[in-house]
Amino acid sequence: MHIMEGFLPHPWWEIWFAASLPFVAYGVSRIGRMAREQRETLPLLAVAGAFIFVLSSLKLPSVTGSCSHPTGTGIGAILFGPWITSVLSTIVLLYQALFLAHGGLSTLGANVFSMGIAGPVVGYLVYRATQRFNLYLAVFLAAALADLATYVVTSLQLALAFPAADGGVLLSLKAFAAVFAITQVPLAGIEGVISALMFKYILQARSEVLLRLNVISKMDLARLQGGMT
Amino acid sequence: MHRLLDDYAHENGLRGVSPKLKLAIGAFSIIACIASPTPAVPLAVSACLSAALIALARIPWRLYIGLTAIPLSFALLSASVVALLSPGEALVSIGALRLSREGMWLGLLLLSRTIGGTSSLFFIALTTPMTEIFAILRSMGLPESLVELSMLIYRYIFVLLEEAMMVRSAQEMRMGYSSIRSSISSSAMLASVLFIRAWERGERLMVAMDSRCYSGRMPLVESHSVRPGHLAVSFIYILSITALLLAVIRGGSA
């Protein structure tokens, strides 16, 4: 869900830049601190960012036939937390604009807010809240709801910029949401399933990575591995 | 997707032009497109930059048209929603949907802005390699860790993309994408293998960079200087687009 270059009029593109800036600035300061304290984090974050880019350029099976792709931000937020994901998403969105003409430079602020901030924050909170009950269900919900949050925020951004004649922002929001729902709602479900399966494979192959990232606790791991064998 | 735009950026006809100048032209064009109240300015921007890309940078025109078609499909969908929601006397109405003259204009304006903006984006992407953009970002005073992280991400995108394509074609040969069910499980397997390999590469990269005395700052070269001829052409372009923009704004208010 990217807003294309040139689509957001003045003053909306400036507003969304201003809204995203504090989050990303805080994320950058955290990354700077981490890079000074633990030198090994920067290369790991770099491959994580590249991973999000490649994940979002993979085509997914889609019900409507249009080429949909995952955002990868839900799983990013689970693995690295929302702050760092917001910085990684900003860089990834910049590359998507320049390499693939997905999104744009003037709409970068709005896209960072929907895909790099709203989605990851929702995904992270959902994961942390539901993790206790069932890990795979938590990953599914986090990834799917992160996608849905991104889609709702994008619709809202467009609705605020183009309110309907009679009915205003609300009617406009309904119209945009309805048009995008055709592709975005099934996509959220598919991304959720894929993220949960992906989590399972990573747990089987390299569970210590998840422990190091503090995504799961030792107790969870012992319980899950007990259940797997 | 198999050939990233960055490949063209390294071997195009405008490679020798100062990256700062190209970035400035691109940024100016984007702002001119958004600021314009009528489709005239974005269309003029798009015509100038497309001509420059095809004639001067020698980008294959088929490729260029194919690239532009992707963002336009999204723009067309959103522009029609905006057009149908706009106020004004109905021009045509089908059931509950009604299209007013104002709505149609707004839709066309948005579409033209996207066309102009996309041309500006491609002007930057197809003529300027990322490494030169990094040098500019650093000289603009962005945080060192951010520039450094962007450079490392850039490097690893290509490595991981190649790995993803290899895994994917192996899966395709084993009928991994023959049904929706199996393609979901194949995509998940691909994503997790990619994550694990990315992580292992990250660990190896750390060792490799440490053994080369990496201090948190990679040196970059910025070699191109601005040539007077390039400056003159850019100046004429910027001046004429600004003149058109002002004429359009004045014409609209009068």
Side-chain angles (χ1 to χ4, degrees), chain B:
Chain B
M1 248 312 282
H2 288 270
R3 246 194 117 175
L4 281 162
L5 303 185
D6 201 52
D7 295 347
Y8 289 95
H10 281 284
E11 51 194 42
N12 75 88
L14 291 175
R15 177 78 166 80
V17 180
S18 156
K20 271 188 186 151
L21 190 61
K22 290 185 280 192
L23 217 57
I25 291 180
F28 164 78
S29 307
I30 287 176
I31 291 176
C33 288
I34 316 179
S36 169
T38 71
V41 175
L43 291 180
V45 162
S46 176
C48 292
L49 295 183
S50 305
L53 277 174
I54 293 169
L56 300 178
R58 291 189 295 279
I59 304 295
W61 63 272
R62 275 172 199 279
L63 171 96
Y64 182 65
I65 290 180
L67 285 173
T68 323
I70 311 167
L72 284 190
S73 52
F74 170 89
L76 205 60
L77 188 70
S78 308
S80 18
V81 175
V82 172
L84 290 172
L85 287 172
S86 289
E89 207 178 316
L91 211 60
V92 216
S93 55
I94 312 154
L97 297 177
R98 50 183 197 83
L99 181 66
S100 68
R101 189 182 293 276
E102 288 86 347
M104 202 175 67
W105 268 111
L106 186 60
L108 286 178
L109 175 62
L110 284 178
L111 210 56
S112 68
R113 278 183 186 164
T114 309
I115 293 172
T118 309
S119 299
S120 319
L121 273 184
F122 281 138
F123 182 76
I124 298 174
L126 288 169
T127 65
T128 318
M130 268 327 280
T131 42
E132 295 179 350
I133 297 181
F134 292 135
I136 297 175
L137 290 181
R138 180 174 281 170
S139 67
M140 272 164 51
L142 259 81
E144 196 66 41
S145 57
L146 188 66
V147 177
E148 209 59 29
L149 188 61
S150 314
M151 277 163 58
L152 288 172
I153 290 180
Y154 172 73
R155 168 78 188 94
Y156 273 85
I157 282 175
F158 294 95
V159 176
L160 286 186
L161 213 53
E162 206 177 308
E163 215 136 331
M165 278 175 204
M166 263 158 50
V167 174
R168 201 186 162 106
S169 49
Q171 286 177 325
E172 269 168 8
M173 269 188 275
R174 292 180 182 81
M175 309 292 279
Y177 292 89
S178 52
S179 68
I180 294 239
R181 218 187 139 80
S182 65
S183 35
I184 287 177
S185 116
S186 296
S187 306
M189 221 181 283
L190 171 57
S192 53
V193 166
L194 216 55
F195 175 77
I196 291 166
R197 291 203 187 163
W199 186 272
E200 283 166 358
R201 276 193 187 269
E203 286 173 334
R204 267 183 281 159
L205 174 67
M206 212 157 74
V207 176
M209 283 169 53
D210 269 346
S211 59
R212 286 172 182 79
C213 305
Y214 175 64
S215 62
R217 186 189 161 97
M218 245 186 282
L220 288 170
V221 278
E222 205 196 339
S223 52
H224 306 284
S225 53
V226 183
R227 292 209 205 118
H230 297 155
L231 200 61
V233 173
S234 324
F235 192 63
I236 293 172
Y237 167 74
I238 290 180
L239 213 60
S240 33
I241 293 293
T242 312
L244 182 62
L245 186 63
L246 288 178
V248 161
I249 291 174
R250 190 162 302 164
S253 62

Side-chain angles (χ1 to χ4, degrees), chain A residues 203-220:
Chain A
L203 259 180
Q204 286 171 344
R206 293 286 306 262
S207 52
E208 78 277 8
V209 172
L210 298 181
L211 274 182
R212 229 198 99 189
L213 286 170
N214 210 9
V215 175
I216 51 171
S217 62
K218 272 214 171 74
M219 232 167 64
D220 282 335

